[in-house]
Amino acid sequence: MTTLAIDRIGLLVTNDPGLGEGPLGVVRDAALVLEGDRVLAVERAGAQADERIDAGGRCVIPGFVDSHTHLVFAGERGDEFAARMAGAPYRAGGIRTTTDATRAASDDALTGLARRRRDEALRGGITHLEIKSGYGLDVATEERLCAVAAQLTDDVTFLGAHVVPAEYAGRADDYVGLVCGPMLAACAPHARWIDVFCEDGAFDEEQSRAVLEAGRAAGLGLRVHGNQLGPGAGVRLAVELGAASVDHCTHLTDDDVAALAGGETVATFLPATDFSTREPYPDARRVLDAGGRVAVATNCNPGSSYTTSMAFCIALAVRDLHMTIDEALQAATLGGARALRRTDVGHLAPGARADAVVLDAPSHAHLVYRPGVPLAATTISAGRVAWSAPWS
Ligand code: NIG
């Protein structure tokens, strides 16, 4: 098999403390040697290999792992966003607007749109992502969305329990029955995960529990949207049921923090959502200081967070969630991998998937120091150059 060395790396973040300094496992003047789709070795600069990329002293990090996206949808909601910036509140009602547009779109159209968003993410350094359904809300469309998502990732999440669709208004329990029955049966073959929006205005604790238990019985892992718009049962329920991740966590009580600290569930923060909805930022510091596991993800969707920029999320996580730069980078790489219960991505130890990003910067601090600047010069996905900036 051919080997490829990314050579003359000024600062390499491996996320493996056994390979270098500190929790990020930083190695200076390094070479990262890849073989096929895997990392073969971390060596000193000047490594021998069949092919070579000269990093020219720049920083190389593991590819970002985006553990929360809603990439498959049609339409956009720029007017809703503009109204919010003028003072209107976010209440998730726009999900039904996107559902109408998505139901009307063909499979080919949805696939094309999702691919473009995935490619945009790749250009920003995201090398692995999770994709949820949730803008179909009927059996046929939810299945279509899961099938489209499965073309782009093996981390597909069935989110039929996103909100109650208009045709089930006032009959939420009937809709939960549909989600747990025929919809789950149609979607489970395409999915690895099930998710539920446990929130006032979406699904209550009992309904959320029913959805998650049905998903588990169908062989799916559990994820929860919780505590986004106010305090609620989401975090507690996720920890109690052993969900891999509870996402948003914007409104946390002391009990929620204690539950996260004592459980296996990752708290996934979505700071671009709080930015785009003008919600307060979550207190990630409190979760970290209590010993909880954390991730940072984009939540790319047309309503509450229309961005694929993990660098932007990292900058917010540092500036407004009070993570250190190292914590935020790790949350967006290894943290995302943990939220997806994966050991093959999010780090650059030998044997890991060869997903790496050459930053046009001497250190990962520039992701925060230079907000809004596209710093991913080359993105390597499974050992192949997936994107290289014209200027790199
Ligand atoms: O994660 N909170 C629920 N779902 C999405 C929002 C989707 C939308 O507004 O279209 C989220 O923020």
Side-chain angles (χ1 to χ4, degrees):
M1 230 182 298
T2 315
T3 55
L4 166 67
I6 308 175
D7 205 359
R8 295 209 313 133
I9 300 171
L11 188 154
L12 172 66
V13 174
T14 65
N15 272 340
D16 184 336
L19 291 172
E21 287 162 42
L24 291 188
V26 167
V27 186
R28 290 168 208 279
D29 301 318
L32 181 68
V33 186
L34 315 177
E35 184 177 49
D37 65 353
R38 299 281 141 180
V39 175
L40 181 65
V42 172
E43 296 183 11
R44 307 309 308 170
Q48 299 299 308
D50 301 319
E51 293 168 18
R52 184 170 173 276
I53 292 173
D54 184 356
R58 292 182 287 184
C59 175
V60 172
I61 60 172
F64 297 126
V65 178
D66 192 352
S67 60
H68 185 135
T69 84
H70 304 249
L71 280 199
V72 192
F73 62 85
E76 56 84 44
R77 286 159 37 204
D79 291 348
E80 178 192 313
F81 176 80
R84 222 160 38 232
M85 293 304 110
Y90 174 78
R91 280 289 166 257
I95 293 172
R96 295 192 185 91
T97 308
T98 301
T99 298
D100 290 344
T102 303
R103 285 178 177 175
S106 68
D107 287 3
D108 282 354
L110 290 171
T111 304
L113 289 164
R115 276 190 193 282
R116 274 172 56 184
R117 294 174 193 128
R118 192 276 316 270
D119 291 348
E120 181 182 284
L122 207 51
R123 290 197 294 275
I126 292 172
T127 49
H128 185 75
L129 40 74
E130 177 263 15
I131 303 178
K132 299 175 199 301
S133 68
Y135 290 117
L137 309 184
D138 61 37
V139 174
T141 316
E142 282 296 312
E143 182 179 8
R144 291 202 296 134
L145 301 189
C146 288
V148 168
Q151 295 176 42
L152 301 180
T153 183
D154 53 3
D155 275 306
V156 174
T157 300
F158 165 49
L159 179 59
H162 199 182
V163 289
V164 176
E167 62 273 23
Y168 276 84
R171 296 187 295 130
D173 285 337
D174 291 348
Y175 182 66
V176 169
L178 180 75
V179 169
C180 297
M183 201 183 275
L184 175 60
C187 294
H190 306 283
R192 180 170 175 228
W193 303 99
I194 189 162
D195 197 343
V196 59
F197 186 15
C198 180
E199 193 86 35
D200 279 353
F203 298 92
D204 66 21
E205 179 173 356
E206 196 186 330
Q207 293 162 340
S208 301
R209 184 185 293 277
V211 168
L212 294 169
E213 284 178 346
R216 172 178 279 158
L220 302 181
L222 311 186
R223 325 185 67 74
V224 176
H225 281 64
N227 303 55
Q228 175 183 2
L229 303 173
V235 168
R236 268 185 295 107
L237 185 65
V239 175
E240 180 202 320
L241 295 182
S245 181
V246 55
D247 300 30
H248 286 287
C249 298
T250 301
H251 298 270
L252 295 177
T253 63
D254 290 348
D255 286 350
D256 294 328
V257 173
L260 288 167
E264 300 284 297
T265 303
V266 173
T268 298
F269 296 107
L270 309 170
T273 312
D274 309 300
F275 172 91
S276 298
T277 57
R278 284 200 195 275
E279 284 288 306
Y281 288 101
D283 194 350
R285 193 68 265 147
R286 203 150 59 113
V287 177
L288 281 160
D289 290 345
R293 298 151 192 248
V294 304
V296 166
T298 67
N299 187 21
C300 180
N301 77 76
S304 66
S305 182
Y306 201 178
T307 183
T308 55
S309 175
M310 189 68 90
F312 174 59
C313 297
I314 289 173
L316 291 176
V318 172
R319 171 64 177 72
D320 292 304
L321 275 61
H322 306 289
M323 294 188 183
T324 67
I325 293 170
D326 286 6
E327 285 168 343
L329 176 64
Q330 192 153 70
T333 50
L334 197 58
R338 287 184 178 140
L340 293 170
R341 299 220 162 133
R342 299 186 74 110
T343 55
D344 58 336
V345 294
H347 65 107
L348 291 171
R353 202 166 81 188
D355 291 351
V357 184
V358 182
L359 297 178
D360 191 19
S363 86
H364 55 287
H366 282 230
L367 291 165
V368 184
Y369 172 45
R370 306 194 66 210
V373 177
L375 290 180
T378 301
T379 304
I380 293 168
S381 169
R384 297 159 61 112
V385 175
W387 146 255
S388 203
W391 38 263
S392 75

